[in-house]
Structure formats: structure tokens, C-alpha cells
Amino acid sequence: MDQAVAERLAGGLLAPLGDRWRHVQAVAAAAREVSGAVGPGDRDLLVTAAWLHDIGYAPEIGHLWFHPVDGARYLESLHAPHRLCALVAHHSCARIEAEERGLTAELAPWELETSAVMDALCMADMTTGPQGQRFTFDERVAEICSRYGEATVVPRSINRARPILQESIDRTVERLGTVQPR
Ligand SMILES: [Fe+2]
């Protein structure tokens, strides 16, 4: 599955959701912008994963009501490449929210990839607001906490994940700084 197919698939399922679609379009654009931080052979995968990372919010698909796993399961059902499904399953430190929700076993079919692609995907998602705004990471975290209410599972997870997410962003920025012009 390439980025053009992913864009069509995501658009078909998420465009009716309005803001979610605006967010996904902006995350795909951000992923393209930071794609210099990953190897040339992984750039299409990065942008494809960005288009699909929130596909688990699509109302039409099967639901466990945990969007990283819902998205990965849906993509597996379409026979999407396993690595792509694993990026979606684990995007933006989903393992911590899975732990908070008691869904670690449901996430287990997909191994956690530790890579420049995962870092860049994380940066694209965590610097894009819920309506596609360009946010700093701190603004993104603050917005999530105010949207969900401090004491709930999502802010609790994001606060636990925060140092890990920050490291992903820092590594991506560093890689972008050392990219050699072609
Ligand atoms: Fe997202």
C-alpha cells in the first residue's frame, strides 16, 4: 500500500468526520516535511503511515474503542504490510495508553519498531493539533489535557509518554539537522 492508496482510503473513511480528517491531512503533510529524517527507502512508508495512523477512528470499522489497535486490525484485514500495521498500532507511544486501558494483550500482535520512521511519525502527529493546526509539542500536550480533562486515561497516558515522545522528536530534529543536501 503506497501513500496515494492510503490517502484515498483514509479520505473515504475519515473525511465525514471533519476535524479528524483535517488533523490527518496535516499529519501527512508534516510527515512529508520531516521525511528527510528517514532513509530514502522508508519515506513512502512514513507518509503512508501518517495517512493511516488514525484510521481506527473510522465509524465503519470494527471497534475495540482503542484506535491504534482498531486501525491496525482493520489494515491487517485489508492485507496491508505488517510493518505498516505495526507502525499504526504503536504510533505516538500507544503502548502506554494500552497499559492504562488494560489492552496490552490486544496490542501484542504488533512488535514495537524503534526507528527513525517511528520517531518521525511521532513528531508529525505530536506537533499537529486536532484541527490540523501546527503546534509545538508542549501546545499539543496541553491541548490534549484540556480536551480530555486532566484526570482521565488519555492525559494520564500522554503525561507518562511525554519523555519518550520528546526523545522521538529530539532524535528526528537531530536527524534533519544532519541530512546531507542531495
Ligand atoms: Fe493523530
Side-chain angles (χ1 to χ4, degrees):
M1 186 177 295
D2 64 15
Q3 51 180 293
V5 173
E7 178 179 354
R8 276 196 300 278
L9 179 64
L13 288 167
L14 298 178
L17 301 184
D19 279 352
R20 184 70 64 190
W21 178 230
R22 280 185 274 280
H23 165 79
V24 165
Q25 288 174 293
V27 172
R32 217 172 281 124
E33 277 175 38
V34 299
S35 63
V38 312
D42 279 342
R43 287 177 191 159
D44 189 73
L45 174 68
L46 168 63
V47 180
T48 300
W51 280 116
L52 298 171
H53 80 282
D54 277 350
I55 200 85
Y57 284 114
E60 291 93 335
I61 70 170
H63 278 296
L64 177 71
W65 304 114
F66 180 51
H67 83 276
V69 167
D70 288 333
R73 284 182 177 175
Y74 173 69
L75 292 170
E76 292 280 3
S77 80
L78 300 182
H79 307 290
H82 187 71
R83 187 179 172 203
L84 173 62
C85 299
L87 285 167
V88 169
H90 283 281
H91 80 268
S92 300
C93 248
R95 65 189 181 280
I96 293 187
E97 191 177 327
E99 221 178 276
E100 292 279 345
R101 292 183 183 277
L103 294 172
T104 298
E106 284 75 3
L107 191 60
W110 300 280
E111 58 287 349
L112 172 66
E113 174 174 324
T114 307
S115 71
V117 177
M118 184 57 100
D119 287 343
L121 178 61
C122 168
M123 175 159 168
D125 190 24
M126 296 313 298
T127 58
T128 302
Q131 288 94 32
Q133 315 92 306
R134 210 174 262 252
F135 274 179
T136 64
F137 177 51
D138 288 349
E139 286 170 338
R140 175 77 156 126
V141 172
E143 191 284 328
I144 290 170
C145 290
S146 73
R147 181 156 40 108
Y148 287 90
E150 281 288 350
T152 58
V153 65
V154 174
R156 199 160 58 235
S157 306
I158 203 87
N159 281 315
R160 278 185 58 198
R162 193 174 188 149
I164 305 169
L165 294 167
Q166 183 69 62
E167 283 172 16
S168 281
I169 292 170
D170 292 347
R171 282 192 296 268
T172 304
V173 169
E174 199 182 311
R175 288 182 187 115
L176 284 170
T178 55
V179 171
Q180 299 300 312
R182 284 191 298 160

